[in-house]
């Protein structure tokens, strides 16, 4: 795997592949590579001629300075895991490469996609995500962009950005990869207090139970149950939302939506975990 730290070197390397009309696949990450990231990289490598992964801990998407400073940065292990997963090149830029002094961030009105769920709890987060993903796409110019459904609202917003700006890249949403007990892999899992770790799979259990419950109950009954259930176990839940899987708006009448997704953000000790599960329909059928 080649490692490039400057845009110039990355562009020079990719030029030959572009001329040969090869498919360039791109997997943006913030590092602390785990099995979930590896699945994205493996899929990208299986479907594209060149697999480019980026590691950039983007300061503009952190609304909490402590969260940014505590973000793990195990570079040597990351390089090993990416190599093992079939990445051809790693783009590892310094901040000045992504955001040069004359950088002008794209302005995209997110409307209600940005005000629901994560929106109120992480002000400015999605603006930061749009800024960095747009900038990275501009630099790498891939044909395919691989993103995890673990961050459901994020991938919906990026799909919206691609459509609004008529970008030519194809978004490939990838299934959530979970640990054996059901906890979704996340770079934050290593920070879960060992004494609380056994409670972590309850999020997925609640999501699964919510899927069964929705058959007989209203969306409001399910969201109330989910939040209360998690809080009773010892979580502090910010939201347990049932939203339309396309426009992310809260579901009132479950019968008029083709795609319903339950999305959760909940604190376990001092670690904030997010997860989601499709309760009705399938994203593939809608996109
Ligand atoms: P991050 O490094 O957290 O920004 O994540 C980089 C990419 O990996 C994003 O597209 C995430 O949605 C995706 N990702 C993170 N965790 C998982 C997981 N457990 N399963 C699938 N994709 C994931």
């Amino acid at each position: 795997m080649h490692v490039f730290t400057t845009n110039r070197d990355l562009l020079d390397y990719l030029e030959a592949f572009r001329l040969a009309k090869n498919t360039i696949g791109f997997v943006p990450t913030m590092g602390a590579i785990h099995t979930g990231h590896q699945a994205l990289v493996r899929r990208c490598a299986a479907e594209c001629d060149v697999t480019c992964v980026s590691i950039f801990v983007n300061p503009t998407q952190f609304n909490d300075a402590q969260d940014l400073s505590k973000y793990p940065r195990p570079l040597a292990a990351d390089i090993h895991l990416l190599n093992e997963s079939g990445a051809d090149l790693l783009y590892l830029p310094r901040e000045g490469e992504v955001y040069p002094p004359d950088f002008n961030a794209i302005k995209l009105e997110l409307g209600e996609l940005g005000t629901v769920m994560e929106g109120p709890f992480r002000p400015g987060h999605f603006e930061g995500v749009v800024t960095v993903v747009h900038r990275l796409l501009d630099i790498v110019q891939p044909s395919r962009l691989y993103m995890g459904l673990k961050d459901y609202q994020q991938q919906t917003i990026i799909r919206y950005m691609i459509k609004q700006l008529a970008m030519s890249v194809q978004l490939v949403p990838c299934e959530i990869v979970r640990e054996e007990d059901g906890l979704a892999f996340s770079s934050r899992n290593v920070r879960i207090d060992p004494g609380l770790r056994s409670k972590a799979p309850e999020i997925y259990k609640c999501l699964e139970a919510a899927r069964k419950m929705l058959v007989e109950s209203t969306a409001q009954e399910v969201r109330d149950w989910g939040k209360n259930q998690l809080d009773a176990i010892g979580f502090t839940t910010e939201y347990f939302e049932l939203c339309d899987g396309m426009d992310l708006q809260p579901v009132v009448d479950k019968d008029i939506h083709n795609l319903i997704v339950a999305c959760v953000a909940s604190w376990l000790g001092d670690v904030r975990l997010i997860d989601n599960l499709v309760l009705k329909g399938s994203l593939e059928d809608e996109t």
Side-chain angles (χ1 to χ4, degrees):
M1 183 175 70
H2 300 270
V3 182
F4 298 112
T5 57
T6 68
N7 299 346
R8 187 71 269 152
D9 290 345
L10 178 77
L11 288 185
D12 285 349
Y13 180 80
L14 286 175
E15 182 65 11
F17 293 97
R18 270 192 245 288
L19 288 174
K21 301 222 176 304
N22 282 331
T23 320
I24 299 172
F26 180 41
V27 187
T29 82
M30 297 202 297
I33 299 300
H34 53 64
T35 311
H37 297 121
Q38 285 187 292
L40 268 62
V41 177
R42 285 206 181 93
R43 178 158 176 199
C44 182
E47 297 177 352
C48 301
D49 298 312
V50 190
T51 294
C52 173
V53 180
S54 64
I55 294 182
F56 179 61
V57 184
N58 174 38
T60 71
Q61 73 188 68
F62 283 82
N63 46 315
D64 176 347
Q66 269 220 345
D67 197 23
L68 173 62
S69 66
K70 277 200 255 166
Y71 207 85
R73 291 168 171 84
L75 186 57
D78 283 357
I79 290 177
H80 173 75
L81 292 171
L82 292 175
N83 236 327
E84 191 185 82
S85 322
D88 296 301
L89 57 112
L90 170 63
Y91 175 51
L92 190 66
R94 278 200 209 89
E95 195 176 336
E97 224 31 55
V98 180
Y99 302 129
D102 58 350
F103 176 70
N104 213 336
I106 184 87
K107 298 274 181 294
L108 182 68
E109 186 52 59
L110 298 177
E112 293 188 331
L113 288 180
T115 57
V116 293
M117 300 192 288
E118 294 290 285
F121 295 101
R122 305 190 70 188
H125 170 69
F126 288 121
E127 286 74 9
V129 169
V130 164
T131 301
V132 76
V133 175
H134 185 268
R135 172 70 174 147
L136 292 172
L137 289 174
D138 239 5
I139 296 167
V140 179
Q141 295 171 47
S143 2
R144 290 163 75 92
L145 169 66
Y146 290 80
M147 297 191 84
L149 287 167
K150 160 100 178 357
D151 301 276
Y152 196 89
Q153 190 170 2
Q154 168 174 283
Q155 67 85 37
T156 305
I157 286 174
I158 296 303
R159 176 177 301 111
Y160 174 78
M161 175 188 85
I162 291 169
K163 192 165 172 221
Q164 286 299 311
L165 304 179
M167 299 170 81
S168 61
V169 68
Q170 186 193 346
L171 178 65
V172 184
C174 300
E175 288 303 323
I176 301 176
V177 185
R178 302 178 178 282
E179 300 198 26
E180 263 184 27
D181 61 9
L183 175 65
F185 277 104
S186 163
S187 311
R188 293 189 170 90
N189 291 358
V190 292
R191 282 178 32 210
I192 300 173
D193 181 325
L196 295 174
R197 177 60 186 80
S198 63
K199 292 188 178 198
E202 294 296 333
I203 296 183
Y204 183 54
K205 284 192 193 149
C206 278
L207 287 167
E208 287 266 306
R211 178 159 61 186
K212 295 194 184 103
M213 193 177 169
L214 188 65
V215 177
E216 306 269 322
S217 314
T218 65
Q220 191 56 41
E221 283 166 346
V222 174
R223 58 167 76 80
D224 289 346
W225 175 85
K227 183 179 183 325
N228 291 338
Q229 183 73 9
L230 282 177
D231 289 353
I233 294 166
F235 288 84
T236 305
T237 304
E238 289 184 342
Y239 60 83
F240 191 107
E241 187 55 277
L242 267 65
C243 69
D244 181 280
M246 295 309 289
D247 67 15
L248 304 183
Q249 297 313 296
V251 169
V252 179
D253 176 359
K254 65 182 178 186
D255 296 327
I256 63 169
H257 298 268
N258 294 333
L259 179 61
I260 298 179
V261 184
C263 296
V264 186
S266 198
W267 289 85
L268 184 56
D270 61 356
V271 179
R272 185 176 188 271
L273 300 169
I274 63 166
D275 201 348
N276 66 82
L277 187 72
V278 173
L279 304 194
K280 180 184 172 187
S282 101
L283 180 61
E284 257 178 34
D285 292 345
E286 303 304 310
T287 49

